[in-house]
Amino acid sequence: MTALLEVRDLEAYYGRTKALHGVSFSMTAGGITTILGANGAGKTTTLRAISRMVRTAGSIVFDGTSLEPRVTEDVVRLGIAHAPEGRGTFVHLTVEENLRLGAWGRRERGSLEEDFARVFAYFPVLASRRRQAAGTLSGGEQQMLAVARALMLRPRLLLLDEPSLGLAPMVVREIFRILRAVNQDAGVTILLVEQNAALALDLADHVFLLETGRVVMEGPSEVLRKDDAIRRAYLGY
Amino acid sequence: MEVFIQQVVSGLATGGIYAALALALVMIYQATDVVNFAQGEMAMFATYICWSMLNAGVPYWGAFLGTLVLAFLGGIVVERVVIRPVENAPILSIVIVTLGLLVIFNSVAGWIWTYVQKPFPSPFPSKPLKAGNVFFSAHDIGEIVVTLLVLLCIWLFFKFTPLGLAMRAAAHNPVSSRLVGIRVGWMLALGWGLAAVFGAVAGMMIAPVLTLEPNLMGGVQIYAFAGATLGGFTSPGGAVLGGFIVGVVENLVGTYVSFIGTELKFTVALAMIIVVLLVKPTGLFGISVVKRV
Ligand SMILES: Nc1ncnc2c1ncn2[C@@H]1O[C@H](COP(=O)(O)OP(=O)(O)OP(=O)(O)O)[C@@H](O)[C@H]1O
Ligand SMILES: [Mg+2]
């Protein structure tokens, strides 16, 4: 299989502070990859680097296209959707308007009704909140909205930053079930950043372990799940 | 009673002007946190351009529409060329840049068209309209209709078009907007263009009343500030309503409170700004925004 995303020697900077020190990894098309790591390891920064929201050095190639010379708006147009840390809800706008905006950077314009039907099938609660201001949704509902908004792009690559943050366990399982469906039905490649390592390892086929801005371990999830260090640090047994 | 109704209607007419300019101020404030002190002068400049077209023999509504198009483009150019380079500078620097623009537009207008007052035509009949035994100036009524039409169009635009939605998104949440692919910089420029259009409408509607000169909009802008402050700088609808209220109050106070008369009317606007800021700083319809630093 060919790599959909190829990251080489990626460094990222916040002002003078270096947050990534040469991260390299690649993702195959159609797979689900997860990045694990402690707080401050650089998981969010890695996703931001792909979306061109931080200054970087090194190379990021998506389906043969270099991302470094592009701005965020153009990265989106290549079919990379990003549900950011903190959800990025447009709180003043309605749920429906949030979803419409999710389709803004899409190549094929066309009717959105099909897409609404699809995300409402995944997240029925959003359908019943369609005309409500998104800022009045509960935290969990806003998290669903963030995922739904990203899906409106009909992305080829979906970047998800801790979609389980602050959600009840049942809702988390529901979201992960939906992510698996999105991956299988629509063939969307997913790069997932998660604190909930157990669930992430279940969902993903490949895992990267990030520590202070470096990849310290990587491999198929079945293998890493059995690794002692990972078990102790992230799975808690 | 007839006098009262007449004064209310003519208050609404000038109030519409304040409302249009207040909306322009609020739109830019919402998108960039900057008060554009040059808004009124840009409107004055647009009005001169209309005057020049009329002088060249262009029919009124042709000149009117032509001016709106030029004002739109002019607003975009000002944003791209003057504001964009200081986009990330401290707010105070941007405010000073808009003050600089104010002076530049004012003196360039004086240089091109001189400071001599010029009569500016009204597109509406000079014969007053009669309803019962109350007379209304046709220009007042026309002014109200034109401003309401403009406000309706802009409301429809923001409420129902994808571009309007993207502009609102860009103003409220630039980071998320970029993440869905909205070109935030261009949305801001479009906002400046639209604001310049409202200003141009205000200028062309008020010029027949005040006669055209480079300081045409100085007073109007203070009243627009009063309207925006009253309605709330964070609420476009509130700012529009605030503009209308200021217009009516200004007129009624000038008519009925004899010691104020026309000379002190200006002070009324300033007093309103101060009172609102003291009593309810967010304005009638504004929401307080907690700024992250
Ligand atoms: N906006 C910023 N300005 C300065 N430094 C930052 C900024 N954002 C992150 N950093 C720094 O970069 C490093 C990596 O942060 P990052 O947000 O990528 O971590 P993370 O792995 O996502 O952590 P968490 O699990 O807590 O979300 C940290 O040391 C952090 O302090
Ligand atoms: Mg993070």
Side-chain angles (χ1 to χ4, degrees):
Chain A
M1 271 199 276
T2 58
L4 182 66
L5 184 75
E6 181 92 44
V7 174
R8 282 285 153 262
D9 305 320
L10 182 65
E11 299 178 352
Y13 302 85
Y14 293 103
R16 290 244 175 86
T17 325
K18 204 171 182 182
L20 297 180
H21 305 263
V23 168
S24 300
F25 65 92
S26 73
M27 288 176 64
T28 51
I32 302 182
T33 303
T34 185
I35 303 179
L36 299 180
N39 293 126
K43 307 181 295 294
T44 297
T45 305
T46 305
L47 297 192
R48 285 190 185 143
I50 297 168
S51 288
R52 312 311 302 143
M53 300 162 76
V54 289
R55 195 163 59 83
T56 62
S59 90
I60 309 171
V61 179
F62 175 74
D63 195 26
T65 310
S66 273
L67 298 189
E68 311 93 74
R70 289 167 191 262
V71 293
T72 305
E73 297 92 302
D74 293 323
V75 170
V76 176
R77 282 175 174 71
L78 294 173
I80 301 181
H82 185 162
E85 187 172 67
R87 309 186 194 108
T89 313
F90 295 96
V91 292
H92 294 84
L93 306 178
T94 66
V95 168
E96 179 178 328
E97 287 170 334
N98 269 266
L99 293 174
R100 279 186 191 285
L101 288 171
W104 181 265
R106 196 160 96 182
R107 285 268 178 217
E108 75 264 41
R109 284 276 154 185
S111 154
L112 296 184
E113 283 315 311
E114 216 177 286
D115 303 82
F116 279 131
R118 190 164 63 107
V119 298
F120 288 152
Y122 286 141
F123 304 105
V125 64
L126 295 182
S128 60
R129 302 268 189 274
R130 194 163 171 169
R131 312 236 176 270
Q132 192 172 321
T136 65
L137 296 181
S138 79
E141 289 163 346
Q142 287 192 36
Q143 192 64 68
M144 295 180 205
L145 180 59
V147 176
R149 193 182 70 207
L151 290 177
M152 291 297 287
L153 186 71
R154 295 191 193 164
R156 298 170 64 200
L157 174 62
L158 183 54
L159 310 176
L160 296 166
D161 201 336
E162 303 202 32
S164 74
L165 192 72
L167 299 190
M170 235 175 61
V171 183
V172 174
R173 274 194 295 278
E174 178 64 12
I175 288 204
F176 275 72
R177 191 187 59 73
I178 290 165
L179 292 180
R180 186 180 295 283
V182 166
N183 172 252
Q184 283 170 356
D185 304 348
V188 179
T189 310
I190 297 178
L191 179 55
L192 171 74
V193 163
E194 248 312 321
Q195 292 288 346
N196 190 328
L199 271 177
L201 285 168
D202 274 345
L203 180 70
D205 41 55
H206 210 84
V207 185
F208 292 93
L209 186 57
L210 217 55
E211 223 167 73
T212 53
R214 288 180 185 84
V215 177
V216 291
M217 200 183 283
E218 71 160 295
S221 30
E222 312 89 73
V223 178
L224 287 211
R225 200 200 322 254
K226 299 193 189 82
D227 184 271
D228 279 345
I230 295 244
R231 270 219 331 243
R232 268 195 303 278
Y234 295 101
L235 299 174
Y237 57 87
Chain B
M1 192 60 199
E2 286 85 18
V3 175
F4 178 77
I5 295 174
Q6 271 162 2
Q7 289 303 323
V8 167
V9 168
S10 98
L12 286 174
T14 31
I17 308 288
Y18 306 155
L21 202 63
L23 183 62
L25 291 168
V26 163
M27 258 183 57
I28 289 183
Y29 179 77
Q30 283 203 311
T32 52
D33 283 344
V34 170
V35 173
N36 177 15
F37 286 98
Q39 199 73 61
E41 299 311 291
M42 287 164 66
M44 170 277 294
F45 206 87
T47 310
Y48 267 110
I49 288 174
C50 181
W51 179 87
S52 299
M53 284 197 240
L54 291 170
N55 244 18
V58 181
Y60 185 89
W61 292 109
F64 184 89
L65 289 178
T67 303
L68 296 191
V69 172
L70 288 178
F72 181 68
L73 297 176
I76 290 178
V77 168
V78 166
E79 200 279 340
R80 291 278 98 174
V81 175
V82 184
I83 302 298
R84 184 112 199 260
V86 291
E87 203 171 36
N88 299 317
I91 299 282
L92 190 59
S93 320
I94 312 182
V95 166
I96 288 171
V97 167
T98 74
L99 284 171
L101 277 175
L102 182 158
V103 176
I104 291 171
F105 274 113
N106 191 284
S107 41
V108 170
W111 179 61
I112 301 179
W113 291 289
T114 76
Y115 285 86
V116 179
Q117 300 204 332
K118 294 180 169 56
F120 192 90
S122 165
F124 308 110
S126 52
K127 203 162 145 286
L129 301 174
K130 189 164 180 282
N133 46 5
V134 192
F135 288 91
F136 299 109
S137 126
H139 182 77
D140 280 358
I141 303 293
E143 213 171 299
I144 294 175
V145 171
V146 168
T147 22
L148 288 181
L149 270 179
V150 170
L151 293 174
L152 178 68
C153 287
I154 201 62
W155 183 78
L156 291 173
F157 171 75
F158 277 119
K159 193 75 191 169
F160 294 110
T161 69
L163 188 58
L165 175 62
M167 286 179 68
R168 281 189 289 150
H172 282 305
N173 195 337
V175 175
S176 290
S177 297
R178 287 200 178 90
L179 274 183
V180 295
I182 296 170
R183 299 194 193 282
V184 173
W186 276 108
M187 296 301 136
L188 297 186
L190 285 181
W192 275 72
L194 286 180
V197 167
F198 305 149
V201 170
M204 290 185 287
M205 287 293 119
I206 199 76
V209 182
L210 299 180
T211 74
L212 183 55
E213 50 134 344
N215 297 319
L216 173 73
M217 299 302 276
V220 176
Q221 178 153 310
I222 301 285
Y223 286 113
F225 270 123
T229 314
L230 180 64
F233 257 95
T234 50
S235 157
V240 166
L241 197 61
F244 277 110
I245 294 174
V246 168
V248 172
V249 169
E250 175 211 7
N251 236 14
L252 292 182
V253 167
T255 312
Y256 289 105
V257 186
S258 53
F259 73 89
I260 288 183
T262 40
E263 294 79 21
L264 284 180
K265 278 203 315 194
F266 212 57
T267 323
V268 174
L270 295 172
M272 281 172 82
I273 293 183
I274 291 167
V275 169
V276 173
L277 288 179
L278 287 176
V279 177
K280 195 166 184 301
T282 53
L284 295 177
F285 306 96
I287 37 160
S288 55
V289 184
V290 182
K291 284 256 150 66
R292 279 194 317 182
V293 191

